[in-house]
Amino acid sequence: MPLYSAEALILRTYKLAEADRIVVFLTRDRGKKRGVARGARRSRSRFTGALEPLTRVNVSYFEKETRELVSLDYAEPLRSPLAATDPEALGYVGYFAELLDEAAQDADPNERLFRLGGAVLEALAAGSPVVPLARYFEFWLLRLLGVYPPWRVCVTCGASLAANGACLVKPHEGFACCHCSRRDRADLSPGALAYLRSLAELSPEGLAAVPMPPAAGREIAAVHRALISAHFEREPRANRVLRELGA
Ligand SMILES: [Zn+2]
């Protein structure tokens, strides 16, 4: 059975039998994998501290072509989301991991998705404010999935949206000006569109230096929620957790 070594992000785990765990992880080079970590639920296990969602690890695993599940040999943590000390940030960890899991296809390499998850993890660990980071993550995740609608010009008349705001007509159709969509109020105000430009142009570290106006943040969050629910055909499970945290 061939043995593979890779850098990976842990996406989620669940219990298997008495002492084991199934681990879903995103490798940098070979896409999403599912594997068995034998003995992972024992108090002294070689996987201790390595299997929290969003942990970046070095893994090695055995893979048999005919089997869906690989067998984890070891996982060594390189960066843990638990390095973030802000309780609000920790509340978002499950949300980021869940969306990565939803977006990643089995055994379909997607290095850009891996890099997005890694960048968000680094920013969390460095103490970047988590709410702007969540908007950044959603923006780029939807872009990588190819489902972020054009937001700079009206989908109907082609006018620039920057001055008067943008209305989300239907998630799959894109943004229109208020005139074309016959609405009094834009879903994204000019302030929200300006912040969206920062999300598109800056790195997570650069973003930490640009204050997010609270109203703009709320507008972008609502639009992203609509786009995510439309694409995945359901609301992320972690949204409920975030609501309970008051996010
Ligand atoms: Zn228009």
Side-chain angles (χ1 to χ4, degrees):
M1 230 183 333
L3 176 71
Y4 295 92
S5 293
E7 220 184 304
L9 289 167
I10 304 293
L11 300 180
R12 69 192 189 110
T13 70
Y14 40 101
K15 294 173 187 174
L16 175 71
E18 236 166 64
D20 308 336
R21 275 191 186 281
I22 301 272
V23 184
V24 183
F25 57 103
L26 180 65
T27 65
R28 181 190 278 275
D29 56 343
R30 300 179 70 237
K32 186 164 77 171
K33 299 278 175 189
R34 278 158 228 280
V36 180
R38 301 247 175 248
R41 292 170 60 208
R42 296 210 173 92
S43 57
R44 267 199 247 164
S45 141
R46 63 206 146 121
F47 299 110
T48 301
L51 301 183
E52 285 296 320
L54 211 64
T55 305
R56 192 158 60 87
V57 289
N58 269 334
V59 285
S60 71
Y61 57 94
F62 293 98
E63 182 169 321
K64 223 181 193 176
E65 249 179 59
T66 51
R67 291 222 185 121
E68 198 213 335
L69 283 178
V70 304
S71 172
L72 265 80
D73 184 42
Y74 77 83
E76 173 201 6
L78 299 173
R79 176 68 89 185
S80 168
L82 304 181
T85 46
D86 174 12
E88 194 186 19
L90 294 175
Y92 274 91
V93 165
Y95 176 68
F96 295 138
E98 180 185 348
L99 286 183
L100 285 171
D101 188 14
E102 289 278 341
Q105 301 296 314
D106 285 331
D108 176 24
N110 187 340
E111 202 192 343
R112 293 179 74 194
L113 191 63
F114 177 88
R115 288 212 312 264
L116 174 63
V120 165
L121 169 63
E122 287 303 317
L124 269 183
S128 287
V130 72
V131 176
L133 197 57
R135 303 297 83 86
Y136 173 90
F137 175 79
E138 293 159 349
F139 177 80
W140 281 105
L141 186 87
L142 290 161
R143 288 282 297 266
L144 291 182
L145 291 168
V147 294
Y148 209 101
W151 49 277
R152 293 176 196 263
V153 296
C154 170
V155 71
T156 307
C157 72
S160 166
L161 295 171
N164 296 309
C167 296
L168 186 61
V169 190
K170 278 182 191 164
H172 298 298
E173 291 177 14
F175 293 97
C177 66
C178 288
H179 179 74
C180 289
S181 56
R182 297 179 190 186
R183 294 222 214 124
D184 302 333
R185 205 166 162 276
D187 295 309
L188 295 176
S189 60
L193 288 167
Y195 192 74
L196 206 54
R197 210 167 305 126
S198 303
L199 293 180
E201 290 166 6
L202 298 176
S203 66
E205 300 82 59
L207 198 63
V210 179
M212 180 178 75
R218 281 194 297 275
E219 291 170 23
I220 294 172
V223 162
H224 285 184
R225 202 153 49 232
L227 294 174
I228 287 168
S229 299
H231 180 70
F232 294 118
E233 296 178 341
R234 65 172 185 82
E235 209 191 351
R237 289 180 299 273
N239 268 357
R240 193 169 48 85
V241 179
L242 292 176
R243 267 199 300 275
E244 280 164 17
L245 286 167

